[in-house]
Amino acid sequence: MFDVYAFATPNSVKVTVALEELGLTYTLRSVNIRRGTQKEPAFLAINPNGKVPVLVTTDETGRTVALAESAAILVFLAEKTGQLLPSATMARARVFEQLFFHASGLGPAFGQSGFFQRFAATAEPIALERFSTEAKRTLHVLDTTLAKSRFVAGDEFTIADIAHFGWLWRRSFPNITLDSTPHVARWYAEIEGRSAVQRGIARVEALVQPA
């Protein structure tokens, strides 16, 4: 049993999708980032970094532990279940290669591009150009990868696909389309069509619905 603190964000949906894919039971707890709930003391006691998602579970000794950072949560769930992460050395390395590319490249570029387009207090043309260009560049890097394989780390669906899917699901935030990346578009349609993915999306989207 897991408690997941989340909202309808690109990083949160990765965790609900993974849990649905793995068939694990979890309780979803809303952290409304639109109202600043992630900065309240009660949540900061769980994650001092003040960000969602956070997964709360018990460790081998029965102690309650909280795990933050979506990529770390994906790896934890995959290793705990023995699914969505290959055991062969190179295949496993390819998954981590894509996880790190997402965490250091595509994800931050998409997030910063969206921020400077939508929330910057004053126009920042240099920053906007920098991150908008980088968002498009990293998307084309992913397209090159998917031109050679069905999934982002090879022929098998893994947590690397789930990681990339999160931000591509919210690609409207940085005003990105898949029009010029046909291999990403093909891959995205396949991932989006998975029933577990649809359930994971529905769970986080329900968090923003009025009571």
Side-chain angles (χ1 to χ4, degrees), residues 18 24 60 70 86 101-102 116 129 156 166 184:
L24 298 172
E60 296 83 353
S70 59
F101 168 61
H102 180 81
F116 283 106
E129 173 64 20
E156 301 295 328
V184 175

Side-chain angles (χ1 to χ4, degrees), residues 49-50 85 115 117 194-195 198 202-203:
N49 197 30
L85 182 61
F115 172 83
Q117 289 181 60
R194 297 172 70 97
S195 58
Q198 293 173 8
R203 290 293 303 271

Side-chain angles (χ1 to χ4, degrees), residues 57-69:
T57 186
T58 55
D59 65 13
E60 296 83 353
T61 67
R63 181 184 59 175
T64 299
V65 293
L67 182 64
E69 298 299 327

Side-chain angles (χ1 to χ4, degrees), residues 2 24 35 69 81 85 115 149 168 172 183 187 195 205-206:
F2 303 96
L24 298 172
R35 299 176 182 170
E69 298 299 327
T81 61
L85 182 61
F115 172 83
S149 60
L168 292 172
S172 62
H183 304 293
W187 166 87
S195 58
E205 285 185 334

Side-chain angles (χ1 to χ4, degrees), residues 9-84:
T9 68
N11 290 324
S12 292
V13 79
K14 301 171 191 177
V15 177
T16 58
V17 165
L19 288 162
E20 294 290 342
E21 286 281 351
L22 295 167
L24 298 172
T25 301
Y26 63 101
T27 299
L28 199 56
R29 303 189 183 280
S30 178
V31 179
N32 193 324
I33 64 174
R34 296 177 183 175
R35 299 176 182 170
T37 307
Q38 76 279 16
K39 301 302 181 183
E40 294 178 355
F43 184 70
L44 291 174
I46 299 170
N47 180 15
N49 197 30
K51 294 181 180 296
V52 292
V54 176
L55 182 143
V56 176
T57 186
T58 55
D59 65 13
E60 296 83 353
T61 67
R63 181 184 59 175
T64 299
V65 293
L67 182 64
E69 298 299 327
S70 59
I73 295 170
L74 292 178
V75 172
F76 169 78
L77 293 173
E79 291 188 332
K80 184 177 183 65
T81 61
Q83 300 178 60
L84 302 179

